[in-house]
Amino acid sequence: MSTNPQAPQAPPHDPSSNKQNPEKLFHTSANHITRNLHHRSIIQKALGGYYLKRDEQKARFSSWQNARTAAASIKYEAINHLDHYLVQFADKIEANGAKVFWASDGSEALQYILAVARQNNVRRIIKSKTMTGEEIHLSQTLANEGYEVVESDLGEFIVQLRQEPPYHIVFPAMHLTRGEISSLFQQKLGSPPSNEPEELTMIARAALRQKYLQADMGISGANFAIAETGMISITENEGNARLSVGLPPIHVVILGIEKIVPRLQDLALLLPMLATAGAGQHLTGYNTLISGPRKTNEPDGPEQMHVILLDNRRTTLLADAEQRDALHCIRCGACLNVCPIFKNIGGHSYGTTYQGPIGSVITPHLRDLQTWKHLSAASSLCGACSETCPVKIDLHHHLLHNRRNAYHLKPNPLEKILWFAFNLFMQSPFLYNLAAPLNRLFTPFFSLLRKTPLDPIRNWTKTRDFPQPPPKSFKELWRQRKKNPPSFQS
Amino acid sequence: MIPNSNTNHYLYPPGSREKILCRIREALRIPAPKRHLKDHCNLDSPQFKYPQQNLEHPYKEDSESSEKKNTKENLHPHLSNHRLWLPPVPQDTPGKISLFASLSQTLRTNFQLCPTYSLAKSKLQQLASEENWKTIYTHSEEWKNTLSTILPTTNVLSTHPHYDKHALATADASITNCECLIAQTGSVLISSTYCGGRNLSVLPPHHVVLAEVSQLVGDLTDAFLFLQQKYGSNLPPYISIITGPSRTGDIERILVLGAHGPKKLSIILIEENPPP
Amino acid sequence: MQISLFVPCFIDQFFPDAALSIVKILEKLGHEVHYPEGQTCCGQPPFNSGYWQEAKGAALHTIRQFRDSEFIVSPSGSCGAMLRVFYPELFAGTKYEAEARQLAPRVWEFSTFLVHKLGVTDLGASFPCRATFHDGCHGLRELGIKQAPRTLLKHVRGLQLIEMSEAETCCGFGGTFAVKFPHISTAMGEVKCASILETSADCVISNDASCLMQIQGILHRMGKLIPCLHIAQVLSKF
Ligand code: SF4
């Protein structure tokens, strides 16, 4: 396979630098990518194997459905007593020698990390995958300040070289073929071309080996924070997170406040579920629990550990009781994998840190409802996401709630009038009964307009045929039938 | 350690702990509906209902239970719940071993069941000669001495109490003990204090684990209980649950082993009790 | 027993055949079909577009139409879900909440009504063809309908049911979504049609007419004139 010229183009790296309206960008990008059959086939192929493995793993559970309810109960408990568990977590991990910093927003978190870096004369930073870091543009900010920042997760490493945001919260480079990655490596790392994923992986491995050993600071995210024991839990497959947090003398971990779970034992359920939903594994390669910097009875480990608890408008979402369960999310990415919208428009079209259904639900809260409401509108509400979510977030209903909230506060005048008229019309059987004859009357007229810009349902007919209205509506047929009932045969 | 008030404390911003907590408390004043317990509409089998009992966490109890005795019941009254839904695990040891073995195969872990210690020794010698081990690391002086006698041509070093990370990075393999093995997931659980630090099991290209059958537990629940019983509330600061060799699927979702961590994971499980 | 028929506006105007087939089937089974003639639309279009206020009038009108009905049967899982699942939410906290809640459990989707309420699986229909079945998302996920239509189709003489890959993936219709985001909707429909064509079936059956409109629209545009039928149309071939 060689590089395909029509490989999907990503928007520029830093979305905040982009002054264009996100809704317009979304439409342009989505329209562009949905027509890209190459993209469509890559994503379908990449996810085909996932579905098989996920179903296999789900089937091993005694009851996947009850496990979901139990997992959701754990997160419900945590989120609805967040103040209690956060304090418990922070106190415990501080007692173990870590320093906890509570950041209201991205800039507070960034300032703190920069302060740590300056204080300790940091030059080189190795980073393992963190979507929370992505959310506050951590890598770019540190790089702009002159630090060398290297992403260590293979997928993240690839998209970093391409100067792109991650395509998917779990599989950041799933939109690329080996050919594209090979030529990227050739260009940026000077490596020989290769057609083997294994060889390409080894090129990245070799490129990163020294970086772990040289780094002055390792930055990671966390998948869970355990209140009971004051631990963070990092889930990964590659071992890059373990190396990034185990070798450098400073470990900075950044996590959203919603990552809390009450007890260590909760992981006995959540870790297998995360692995199953996320990648169809029974457990992810490495699940690492860390409760502090190096202790005297340890041969190694960082001298400092900084834990950054990030709010960044999560409390806004928390305040919406109806959608509070969106904070239960364990970022497994399962809802993206099953979402037909995601599969067709691709991760970059969203223009957000979190793509897919969960991104469409939370971005309006984390950023701004009116600017990001189009994401909630761009859904057929099929519900595949809610069905698959391991913590039972009612995702597709929340899309509906976002639509309601957005238009309640700021209706689109034209639509408002349209629906107002619709409502009146539908309340009157008399008016409604006129629909069928009118329909018949206008159909020949509309057929003339087909394929012209005047066609009122052009958005439909451009790509699809519209059914011919039948000679009689059901209501008319029913009346007719009542007048002369059919003689019962047989 | 962390620079504190006597140095440049002022350089660190103060943080917003109280502000955030205040916002959280304000937000939580309205209770959230339990959407996850919502009755699922299922017209296809009207009798269908999620079992409602046992699903709520009995967290009503205080959080100070850790002060009480560390028995199974006292620690986690709700433990059995998770087990009801998770993949089943055989109760007996042979069943656990065979589950572990079959999962190892899917994970591409090199799993070796050795009835005796002497067989385990020869397995190690075989690995050493196959891969031509020059330098390997282990977690303690004691193991270092034993391994040196088993593998006379290999230079055996220990990460205890200190080691050079650059040297460890060039070692051919690491051999460690573990806290326990987990049958349900085919995993090895290691801790930094007991198993030679945070990097020993991830930096060298081949990680070899030696374990005894008594260390094989059923599931993660048992593994965490084991840790809590062994260490009480003073858990090791670094615990890693290792499931198979390092892997990635980041290129076209095709599985590749040895992304950044060990390319190979070998688990040698010894059935015999240790020699005195 | 007396069974009330709820025929969504959409089926009334474009697929009267599906509703008529249901009448035929229920009458054949010896039931009395009652069709409140004042019914219009369930209000789903404005509701799904986010204009909940504007959906309430039509919704209330529908609730009132069926006030005295014991069983309300709908040929569409989507509109059935609107009545059963979303009305209580739409009217939550208003004085109509009780009415909405009272209506909900009486609403049935056609195929589950036959199988689970009437206990009928074989209607004596015969329809020789190789067919594939598409699950309408609302029926599937809001109402949990999966097996009932398949059970019914299994008993149709001569009909060979071939499951398509990813039968549960959305066809991309989604109401106003289809015209607000025509490109995404069409792409989803194309993926769906590709899995339909893969089965080389000569007929597509679904329990939701709106999905059929989307699937048929795309198949026809592709030049594949495969008939798209509502399940009732197939079951009434006795
Ligand atoms: S919303 Fe659910 S499915 Fe989606 S990423 Fe979060 S936990 Fe996973």
Side-chain angles (χ1 to χ4, degrees):
Chain A
M1 219 179 294
S2 68
T3 317
N4 193 304
Q6 23 168 323
Q9 280 301 308
H13 200 157
D14 186 353
S16 63
S17 71
N18 217 309
K19 290 287 171 280
Q20 251 182 302
N21 173 353
E23 183 168 357
K24 282 220 185 76
L25 278 176
F26 175 81
H27 274 278
T28 326
S29 168
N31 289 351
H32 179 68
I33 293 187
T34 47
R35 272 176 281 179
N36 185 334
L37 299 182
H38 169 70
H39 172 263
R40 196 186 286 179
S41 75
I42 295 179
I43 301 305
Q44 277 176 351
K45 198 167 135 228
L47 289 172
Y50 161 82
Y51 297 138
L52 287 177
K53 285 202 282 172
R54 176 202 59 185
D55 291 345
E56 219 172 85
Q57 287 312 323
K58 271 192 195 171
R60 284 185 70 226
F61 277 68
S62 298
S63 167
W64 172 253
Q65 292 307 334
N66 288 339
R68 289 175 72 213
T69 310
S73 299
I74 292 172
K75 287 299 291 188
Y76 182 94
E77 165 69 22
I79 295 297
N80 284 281
H81 300 90
L82 193 55
D83 49 342
H84 170 77
Y85 289 122
L86 267 178
V87 169
Q88 195 186 355
F89 166 76
D91 290 351
K92 284 258 151 94
I93 201 165
E94 276 190 326
N96 272 324
K99 176 122 176 32
V100 177
F101 180 77
W102 301 63
S104 250
D105 53 27
S107 80
E108 280 190 21
L110 290 170
Q111 268 172 30
Y112 182 77
I113 296 173
L114 285 171
V116 174
R118 279 191 209 112
Q119 186 91 326
N120 296 285
N121 296 321
V122 167
R123 277 173 40 235
R124 299 191 175 102
I125 299 172
I126 186 101
K127 207 167 141 281
S128 81
K129 189 173 160 50
T130 154
M131 290 315 293
T132 315
E134 248 356 277
E135 182 184 325
I136 62 171
H137 309 301
L138 180 55
S139 301
Q140 300 93 295
T141 311
L142 289 170
N144 292 346
E145 293 288 324
Y147 297 97
E148 180 197 283
V149 187
V150 179
E151 295 283 354
S152 58
D153 173 86
L154 176 59
E156 293 279 350
F157 177 70
I158 293 168
V159 294
Q160 190 191 28
L161 288 182
R162 278 173 69 94
Q163 302 193 319
E164 257 178 19
Y167 180 91
H168 182 295
I169 55 176
V170 178
F171 315 133
M174 75 182 283
H175 59 305
L176 301 172
T177 60
R178 58 186 89 180
E180 282 155 348
I181 294 167
S182 168
S183 48
L184 176 76
F185 283 180
Q186 258 176 280
Q187 196 190 338
K188 303 269 170 156
L189 307 173
S191 60
S194 165
N195 215 2
E196 286 305 316
E198 175 150 13
E199 279 173 26
L200 292 167
T201 305
M202 291 312 136
I203 292 169
R205 180 185 167 109
L208 283 165
R209 271 273 120 169
Q210 286 309 309
K211 303 283 181 194
Y212 294 114
L213 295 164
Q214 293 165 348
D216 312 306
M217 180 195 264
I219 300 181
S220 78
N223 295 76
F224 301 101
I226 303 141
E228 177 193 30
T229 52
M231 284 172 171
I232 58 153
S233 167
I234 305 176
T235 295
E236 50 146 355
N237 268 314
E238 298 180 1
N240 64 304
R242 286 190 63 193
L243 292 166
S244 305
V245 307
L247 287 164
I250 302 170
H251 174 197
V252 174
V253 47
I254 175 156
L255 67 155
I257 52 174
E258 84 284 11
K259 289 287 184 320
I260 287 279
V261 293
R263 302 186 180 226
L264 182 59
Q265 282 294 353
D266 296 330
L267 293 191
L269 183 70
L270 291 170
L271 294 179
M273 293 192 73
L274 174 61
T276 299
Q281 296 176 283
H282 39 257
L283 205 60
T284 317
Y286 300 98
N287 286 288
T288 306
L289 307 168
I290 305 172
S291 57
R294 177 182 184 175
K295 284 230 169 109
T296 43
N297 57 348
E298 283 183 284
D300 56 9
E303 301 301 328
Q304 297 179 29
M305 178 172 174
H306 299 265
V307 179
I308 296 162
L309 292 170
L310 181 70
D311 175 356
N312 213 18
R313 289 175 66 93
R314 282 165 175 76
T315 43
T316 317
L317 178 50
L318 193 72
D320 185 348
E322 186 178 44
Q323 295 193 40
R324 191 176 293 159
D325 64 340
L327 288 169
H328 297 180
C329 177
I330 56 175
R331 302 276 186 267
C332 69
C335 55
L336 283 67
N337 300 342
V338 299
C339 177
I341 316 286
F342 174 87
K343 285 194 276 179
N344 282 296
I345 67 173
H348 287 144
S349 296
Y350 288 85
T352 56
T353 314
Y354 306 102
Q355 313 83 8
I358 184 66
S360 302
V361 169
I362 63 176
T363 308
H365 295 271
L366 299 186
R367 297 196 194 169
D368 165 57
L369 177 60
Q370 296 301 336
T371 321
W372 296 96
K373 63 174 189 283
H374 59 280
L375 294 180
S376 301
S379 163
S380 62
L381 302 178
C382 74
C385 46
S386 312
E387 186 188 35
T388 204
C389 176
V391 287
K392 288 183 85 172
I393 301 173
D394 212 350
L395 289 159
H396 71 298
H397 290 158
H398 291 329
L399 295 175
L400 201 52
H401 298 142
N402 277 343
R403 294 181 189 181
R404 178 200 61 200
N405 296 346
Y407 295 121
H408 180 71
L409 293 171
K410 198 169 162 226
N412 173 334
L414 211 70
E415 278 188 52
K416 177 107 180 155
I417 292 168
L418 174 79
W419 294 125
F420 183 76
F422 178 91
N423 194 29
L424 283 182
F425 183 83
M426 287 303 176
Q427 280 179 75
S428 153
F430 170 74
L431 288 176
Y432 178 81
N433 287 345
L434 296 176
L438 282 178
N439 193 355
R440 281 194 292 275
L441 191 68
F442 282 110
T443 303
F445 176 63
F446 283 151
S447 320
L448 290 179
L449 298 178
R450 282 295 123 81
K451 301 203 170 88
T452 73
L454 288 175
D455 185 354
I457 47 167
R458 189 172 150 72
N459 273 351
W460 180 277
T461 53
K462 230 158 85 183
T463 49
R464 291 158 283 196
D465 281 1
F466 196 72
Q468 283 298 315
K472 286 214 158 70
S473 75
F474 175 74
K475 205 168 270 190
E476 290 163 326
L477 288 171
W478 173 264
R479 290 204 183 109
Q480 199 179 334
R481 205 178 138 96
K482 245 189 6 192
K483 259 186 239 146
N484 31 1
S487 55
F488 230 98
Q489 355 68 313
S490 72
Chain B
M1 282 288 111
I2 297 170
N4 44 34
S5 42
N6 52 21
T7 58
N8 292 321
H9 185 72
Y10 62 92
L11 278 177
Y12 287 95
S16 311
R17 175 176 163 129
E18 287 318 313
K19 260 195 254 160
I20 293 173
L21 285 172
C22 196
R23 283 201 292 265
I24 292 174
R25 290 187 186 119
E26 184 63 32
L28 290 178
R29 274 168 41 180
I30 304 168
K34 297 193 172 176
R35 304 188 78 93
H36 55 286
L37 298 183
K38 197 173 58 177
D39 237 352
H40 255 241
C41 203
N42 194 326
L43 291 181
D44 228 351
S45 61
Q47 343 33 335
F48 174 90
K49 274 240 164 75
Y50 287 124
Q52 292 291 318
Q53 78 283 15
N54 287 340
L55 288 181
E56 291 268 359
H57 260 9
Y59 278 136
K60 307 292 160 273
E61 286 143 305
D62 55 347
S63 49
E64 271 84 60
S65 58
S66 56
E67 303 304 319
K68 296 179 205 155
K69 253 196 287 147
N70 290 338
T71 65
K72 264 190 187 192
E73 290 69 33
N74 271 352
L75 277 172
H76 298 290
H78 63 291
L79 268 187
S80 54
N81 295 349
H82 297 165
R83 281 217 180 107
L84 285 177
W85 324 129
L86 284 166
V89 181
Q91 291 294 307
D92 58 319
T93 309
K96 281 183 199 158
I97 294 177
S98 72
L99 177 61
F100 193 91
S102 81
L103 287 174
S104 295
Q105 205 171 9
T106 21
L107 288 166
R108 318 255 199 115
T109 301
N110 171 25
F111 175 70
Q112 305 281 350
L113 184 63
C114 296
T116 63
Y117 262 84
S118 57
L119 221 67
K121 270 183 206 164
S122 58
K123 279 273 183 271
L124 273 182
Q125 284 159 348
Q126 198 188 329
L127 282 175
S129 68
E130 269 172 19
E131 298 186 358
N132 192 16
W133 288 350
K134 297 218 168 51
T135 314
I136 62 166
Y137 273 83
T138 185
H139 59 274
S140 71
E141 288 298 317
E142 201 188 327
W143 277 50
K144 177 180 146 183
N145 297 336
T146 323
L147 287 169
S148 302
T149 51
I150 300 173
L151 310 169
T153 58
T154 307
N155 179 20
V156 185
L157 298 167
S158 151
T159 54
H160 183 83
H162 297 293
Y163 69 95
D164 172 24
K165 60 184 179 183
H166 297 276
L168 180 62
T170 57
D172 297 305
S174 59
I175 300 182
T176 72
N177 61 357
C178 66
E179 294 278 4
C180 55
L181 300 180
I182 303 162
Q184 188 181 50
T185 55
S187 315
V188 187
L189 191 147
I190 60 117
S191 71
S192 59
T193 45
Y194 186 63
C195 312
R198 305 189 182 203
N199 301 317
L200 180 61
S201 55
V202 68
L203 200 48
H206 187 173
H207 178 206
V208 183
V209 179
L210 293 181
E212 287 158 21
V213 165
S214 60
Q215 289 179 289
L216 181 61
V217 301
D219 52 14
L220 282 166
T221 303
D222 276 342
F224 292 142
L225 272 179
F226 166 79
L227 287 177
Q228 283 174 320
Q229 275 164 355
K230 179 170 172 185
Y231 295 103
S233 57
N234 208 2
L235 290 172
Y238 184 100
I239 295 162
S240 195
I241 303 160
I242 301 169
T243 311
S246 158
R247 60 193 55 228
T248 185
D250 273 345
I251 301 178
E252 297 187 10
R253 308 285 317 121
I254 291 167
L255 176 72
V256 175
L257 298 185
H260 295 283
K263 298 175 185 177
K264 210 170 155 194
L265 173 67
S266 298
I267 298 175
I268 298 176
L269 185 60
I270 305 156
E271 287 182 289
E272 192 185 46
N273 283 332
Chain C
M1 64 176 89
Q2 200 200 48
I3 297 161
S4 300
L5 196 58
F6 168 57
V7 180
C9 52
F10 186 76
I11 294 190
D12 179 40
Q13 296 294 320
F14 290 102
F15 301 93
D17 225 29
L20 204 60
S21 304
I22 294 183
V23 177
K24 279 189 206 152
I25 291 167
L26 292 178
E27 282 181 352
K28 184 191 177 212
L29 293 171
H31 300 288
E32 186 195 333
V33 180
H34 164 71
Y35 175 70
E37 286 188 37
Q39 60 181 276
T40 56
C41 166
C42 61
Q44 190 166 185
F47 178 79
N48 274 359
S49 305
Y51 292 84
W52 287 26
Q53 274 313 321
E54 283 67 30
K56 284 184 179 164
L60 202 60
H61 177 78
T62 307
I63 293 178
R64 300 271 156 91
Q65 288 291 316
F66 292 98
R67 184 177 313 188
D68 304 317
S69 310
E70 197 185 346
F71 300 106
I72 305 157
V73 172
S74 158
S76 156
S78 182
C79 301
M82 181 72 193
L83 269 61
R84 203 178 156 118
V85 180
F86 294 114
Y87 278 6
E89 185 167 358
L90 177 62
F91 289 109
T94 69
K95 62 181 174 196
Y96 306 112
E97 184 174 353
E99 272 180 84
R101 286 201 181 285
Q102 207 251 335
L103 176 85
R106 293 182 282 136
V107 180
W108 289 85
E109 187 271 341
F110 166 67
S111 62
T112 43
F113 183 74
L114 283 187
V115 175
H116 294 299
K117 189 69 212 171
L118 300 181
V120 179
T121 51
D122 189 352
L123 287 154
S126 100
F127 190 68
C129 73
R130 291 156 50 80
T132 186
F133 187 80
H134 165 68
D135 295 279
C137 293
H138 271 144
L140 179 69
R141 303 210 177 81
E142 304 291 351
L143 301 178
I145 301 164
K146 177 82 189 175
Q147 286 314 320
R150 288 178 169 74
T151 314
L152 290 163
L153 288 175
K154 223 186 287 159
H155 290 95
V156 174
R157 317 272 175 302
L159 187 142
Q160 185 194 353
L161 189 66
I162 312 162
E163 290 290 346
M164 64 178 108
S165 60
E166 298 185 32
E168 295 186 357
T169 300
C170 179
C171 67
F173 178 71
T176 47
F177 165 76
V179 286
K180 278 194 184 165
F181 297 89
H183 291 99
I184 306 177
S185 168
T186 306
M188 288 161 71
E190 283 169 3
V191 172
K192 184 92 238 175
C193 290
S195 23
I196 290 172
L197 294 175
E198 229 173 64
T199 63
S200 69
D202 42 36
C203 160
V204 184
I205 302 173
S206 175
N207 51 355
D208 226 320
S210 40
C211 304
L212 288 174
M213 171 161 138
Q214 161 92 346
I215 292 172
Q216 184 169 323
I218 290 177
L219 283 176
H220 283 200
R221 189 54 65 91
M222 288 169 151
K224 311 271 183 203
L225 301 175
I226 301 174
C228 299
L229 299 174
H230 188 272
I231 185 166
Q233 289 172 290
V234 175
L235 296 176
S236 66
K237 303 267 197 271
F238 33 70

